[in-house]
Amino acid sequence: MDRRHFLGGMGAAATALALSSCSDSTSAGSGAAAGPAAAPSSASTWSVVHRYGTTTVSGPPQRVVTLGQTDHDAAIALGVVPVAVGGFLGGSYTPFRPWNSAGLDTRPPVLDMQEIAFEKVAALAPDLILAVMSGVTKEDYAKLTRIAPTVAQPVDAEDWAVPYRPHTEHVGQALGRPDAAAALVSELDDAFAKARTDHPELAGRTAICAEVFGGQYAVLGASAPRNQFLTDVGMTLDAPLAALAGKGYNAPLSPEKLDLLDSVDVVVWTTEVA
């Protein structure tokens, strides 16, 4: 393959950055709203429908644990700082980035989500667990609900592949802040529309996100948030490559098929941390 574009985690980073720009700073672990725009619902309880049923939340929750890969991004943008967040890739990936930690006095502890440490989650005494951008199974969910009310993936979402709109709305509903979540989504929609207007040269360009970990290659599907970022800014997913993953998050790409990437205008790679 003679033409590759290494742009890192552009999609996830830009999405989270735009979300966090709407939120004010809070103190880590406080769980309190940062400002009027993030004011919680006046209701004392509310229900959230998700893949594994319906969860009733009593609010506003004060001790939120986020286990989904980017659930803390949406929570912090909505004015709620988790008491702990999920970490991935065995500690080689940090969930804290400039867009979600600039206003934190201290960073919440990170739970290694290679395998859910249920005992550590329980020790945090959460009153709400978010596992939205995750791959939690029905069995995992059953264990988590014995610890605290748990909100899992949206009904129609794939594991690890919840676009920013339903992701932000789902987290906002769980936190009792649906109006604030809708405002964040609207602001980000406007930002994407402006990007498309400002960069008409992106229209018609083909693009795809790919990964390489441990020498294994994969291509992301159309439902993966990083691929959706590319379409949100005006590009078009390479149809044959996106079809390999179907509705799933990604699909293996054998070394013999890497030349399929040569015809794509933009390839965004996620690689191992050096």
Side-chain angles (χ1 to χ4, degrees):
M1 183 169 54
D2 59 4
R3 181 167 51 83
R4 300 181 186 177
H5 304 261
F6 291 87
L7 302 181
M10 177 183 70
T15 299
L17 177 61
L19 279 174
S20 65
S21 69
C22 306
S23 66
D24 299 317
S25 61
T26 58
S27 298
S30 68
S41 168
S42 60
S44 58
T45 62
W46 51 87
S47 296
V48 185
V49 178
H50 51 81
R51 180 185 295 179
Y52 301 122
T54 301
T55 296
T56 298
V57 182
S58 297
Q62 299 296 314
R63 297 185 59 80
V64 179
V65 170
T66 58
L67 300 182
Q69 190 171 24
T70 55
D71 291 353
H72 61 292
D73 284 332
I76 292 171
L78 288 165
V80 176
V81 179
V83 296
V85 305
F88 300 83
L89 302 181
S92 63
Y93 164 84
T94 174
F96 299 110
R97 303 290 181 177
W99 58 83
N100 62 29
S101 60
L104 302 182
D105 294 335
T106 59
R107 293 179 174 181
V110 178
L111 302 173
D112 187 353
M113 285 295 292
Q114 296 291 92
E115 185 174 345
I116 300 176
F118 296 99
E119 297 82 3
K120 291 183 179 180
V121 175
L124 292 162
D127 52 14
L128 177 65
I129 299 170
L130 296 178
V132 180
M133 186 75 76
S134 77
V136 295
T137 65
K138 188 175 182 179
E139 292 72 23
D140 294 333
Y141 172 75
K143 293 179 182 179
L144 291 170
T145 57
R146 290 197 284 270
I147 299 172
T150 300
V151 174
Q153 304 96 315
V155 173
D156 56 352
E158 301 295 325
D159 288 351
W160 312 109
V162 187
Y164 78 84
R165 295 175 182 89
H167 179 253
T168 306
E169 292 166 352
H170 203 61
V171 172
Q173 186 181 11
L175 294 174
R177 304 166 191 265
D179 293 341
L184 289 178
V185 170
S186 178
E187 185 171 339
L188 195 48
D189 284 342
D190 290 344
F192 277 126
K194 185 177 187 301
R196 291 191 295 272
T197 299
D198 291 347
H199 298 280
E201 69 275 11
L202 296 178
R205 296 275 185 165
T206 58
I208 201 72
C209 287
E211 301 174 321
V212 56
F213 291 101
Q216 302 296 311
Y217 296 90
V219 62
L220 275 60
S223 61
R226 275 174 283 167
N227 267 343
Q228 295 207 343
F229 173 86
L230 298 178
T231 60
D232 282 330
V233 297
M235 291 186 276
T236 301
L237 293 185
D238 182 82
L241 286 168
L244 293 177
K247 293 183 178 181
Y249 177 78
N250 64 7
L253 187 66
S254 66
E256 294 77 16
K257 293 184 177 181
L258 286 177
D259 59 357
L260 293 175
L261 297 169
D262 287 340
S263 61
V264 184
D265 294 322
V266 177
V267 179
V268 181
W269 284 95
T270 300
T271 64
E272 293 167 296
V273 178

